Amino acid sequence: MKPSLARLDLNLLHTLQLLTQELSVSKTAAKLNVTPSTVSKSLRKLRDWFDDPLFVNTPKGLAPTPLTQSMEQDLADWLQMSSQILEKHSEDSPQGMHFDLAIESPLLLFKLNELIQRIQHRYSNAKINTHNWDYDSIGALVRGEMDIGLTGRESHPRSKESLELLPYFIDFEILFSDLPRVYLRKDHPALSEEWNMDTFLKYPHINIVWEQSETWALDEVLSEQGLKRDIALTMSSFEQSLFMAAQPQQNMLTTAPEYCLGYTQQLHPELVCLPVPINKAAQDKLLIPFTLIWHKRNAHNPKLRWLKDTIKSLYCRQK
């Protein structure tokens, strides 16, 4: 069993972090203003602690082992947080923090004002960047360009956007689940007919591109029944599709998550909301788990843990 953390000299982690940067005992010693022998002794202690070589000698210098590579970002984060802690006085609050969020819109808009207020209350002079979740957002999380994401995934077993297909280095937590609904004008001719699948497919649809795909779980469910929507217009976001569905004398309809009902009631009161006319088994395949997503390296980052808890408190009861 590994000894208690209390018995580990945390200065050794600083040495390890510099070694991952310099890949040289002598260069690390120069940075620390100590002798190479001192760094070598520290490296031996670290190897004993982690039960791993950590670095191997090569003709070009030290090469990190897979364990060391896996810790590189964590060590950098730890050093940054340590410096921030040591620079604080008891009356200080964290300042100058940067937040990069990718949240599906219009879900972002519902709670954005309150989220900004909470961030700025906790972190004075915080800088906040918001982005709509898109096909590159997972890559941005991996590259460290994004702190956290909130978006809908899919439940259909053949979907390429299911939670099971997220990369192993991505953590997630479902905040709430939703079902897609049909949005159309109050004077739409479909409302004078029986609301069933025939009526649903009789009229042209406004579709959106979702993570570079023009089809989604609904199209899979329809295809299983030998059915297909008539896509008359394809747009890039739910806001755009709802805006067009709300235009006067418009006979197109669109499909969007049920949470968008609150958005349309405020901005497009001329729209009404109906269920997708399918049975319970098919509905289960359309269920949308709205999910908080972050990189595993941020699992213990204090800023990200606070941000995750704050978003959960705002959005968990969205439904």
Side-chain angles (χ1 to χ4, degrees):
M1 181 181 296
K2 188 172 289 186
S4 166
L5 182 62
R7 298 179 58 186
L8 176 66
D9 181 355
L10 296 183
N11 288 319
L12 294 176
L13 295 181
H14 186 203
T15 301
L16 179 58
Q17 199 267 339
L18 286 176
L19 281 167
T20 63
Q21 292 180 341
E22 303 297 332
L23 298 177
S24 165
V25 168
S26 59
K27 290 181 180 179
T28 299
K31 282 281 184 86
L32 292 172
N33 197 27
V34 298
T35 65
S37 175
T38 300
V39 173
S40 295
K41 289 178 182 178
S42 296
L43 182 54
R44 284 197 295 272
K45 293 178 181 178
L46 287 162
R47 283 168 168 165
D48 289 341
W49 175 270
F50 287 104
D51 192 23
D52 186 87
L54 298 179
F55 299 93
V56 294
N57 291 315
T58 73
K60 295 183 179 181
L62 297 178
T65 65
L67 176 63
T68 304
Q69 291 176 325
S70 72
M71 293 190 294
E72 186 171 359
Q73 184 61 50
D74 292 329
L75 286 167
D77 291 342
W78 170 82
L79 187 61
Q80 180 184 10
M81 288 185 286
S82 299
S83 299
Q84 292 170 352
I85 291 170
L86 292 174
E87 290 172 359
K88 291 185 181 302
H89 299 286
S90 59
E91 68 275 11
D92 288 343
S93 61
Q95 296 187 19
M97 299 292 282
H98 287 261
F99 292 83
D100 287 279
L101 318 173
I103 301 180
E104 175 182 310
S105 190
L107 186 58
L108 169 67
L109 303 178
F110 289 157
K111 302 292 184 178
L112 181 59
N113 184 51
E114 190 174 355
L115 178 58
I116 289 174
Q117 290 178 358
R118 291 199 187 186
I119 291 174
Q120 291 178 338
H121 178 75
R122 176 68 178 84
Y123 296 95
S124 301
N125 302 316
K127 308 299 181 184
I128 306 165
N129 292 328
T130 64
H131 311 263
N132 190 21
W133 181 273
D134 62 24
Y135 73 94
D136 191 44
S137 294
I138 291 289
L141 288 172
V142 174
R143 295 189 298 270
E145 299 167 2
M146 206 78 66
D147 291 321
I148 206 161
L150 175 56
T151 184
R153 307 304 288 178
E154 289 189 337
S155 298
H156 194 283
R158 290 202 301 272
S159 173
K160 296 180 180 179
E161 308 304 332
S162 69
L163 291 172
E164 290 75 15
L165 295 181
L166 285 173
Y168 74 92
F169 43 78
I170 294 295
D171 277 340
F172 65 88
E173 181 175 352
I174 297 174
L175 299 193
F176 66 94
S177 294
D178 202 336
L179 279 171
R181 305 277 284 188
V182 182
Y183 294 83
L184 62 170
R185 285 184 56 86
K186 291 178 179 178
D187 57 359
H188 195 287
L191 297 177
S192 63
E193 305 174 41
E194 180 183 357
W195 183 243
N196 54 29
M197 182 58 70
D198 289 339
T199 305
F200 177 64
L201 297 178
K202 176 180 177 180
Y203 294 94
H205 286 239
I206 306 170
N207 193 37
I208 70 163
V209 176
W210 180 246
E211 298 205 5
Q212 290 192 310
S213 176
E214 294 187 9
T215 60
W216 57 288
L218 174 61
D219 298 295
E220 291 282 357
V221 167
L222 293 175
S223 178
E224 291 166 1
Q225 303 176 38
L227 303 173
K228 186 178 181 180
R229 294 185 296 160
D230 173 20
I231 305 297
L233 175 64
T234 298
M235 310 198 78
S236 62
S237 70
F238 290 128
E239 291 101 320
Q240 291 179 1
S241 68
L242 292 166
F243 174 82
M244 288 306 302
Q247 296 308 297
Q249 300 179 333
Q250 182 57 261
N251 72 337
M252 291 188 289
L253 51 83
T254 193
T255 308
E258 187 175 2
Y259 79 74
C260 291
L261 179 59
Y263 173 79
T264 60
Q265 287 173 341
Q266 293 182 43
L267 297 180
H268 302 298
E270 61 276 23
L271 290 179
V272 296
C273 179
L274 296 175
V276 179
I278 55 177
N279 59 37
K280 178 65 167 58
Q283 277 189 355
D284 290 342
K285 295 180 180 180
L286 296 187
L287 193 66
I288 306 169
F290 280 88
T291 308
L292 201 59
I293 300 175
W294 65 94
H295 197 283
K296 285 184 183 295
R297 65 169 172 263
N298 288 325
H300 302 292
N301 183 312
K303 183 191 83 170
L304 267 296
R305 290 174 65 181
W306 176 88
L307 180 60
K308 182 175 67 171
D309 290 342
T310 300
I311 293 175
K312 284 168 59 178
S313 72
L314 292 175
Y315 285 98
C316 271
R317 291 183 294 275
Q318 174 64 39
K319 287 281 291 163

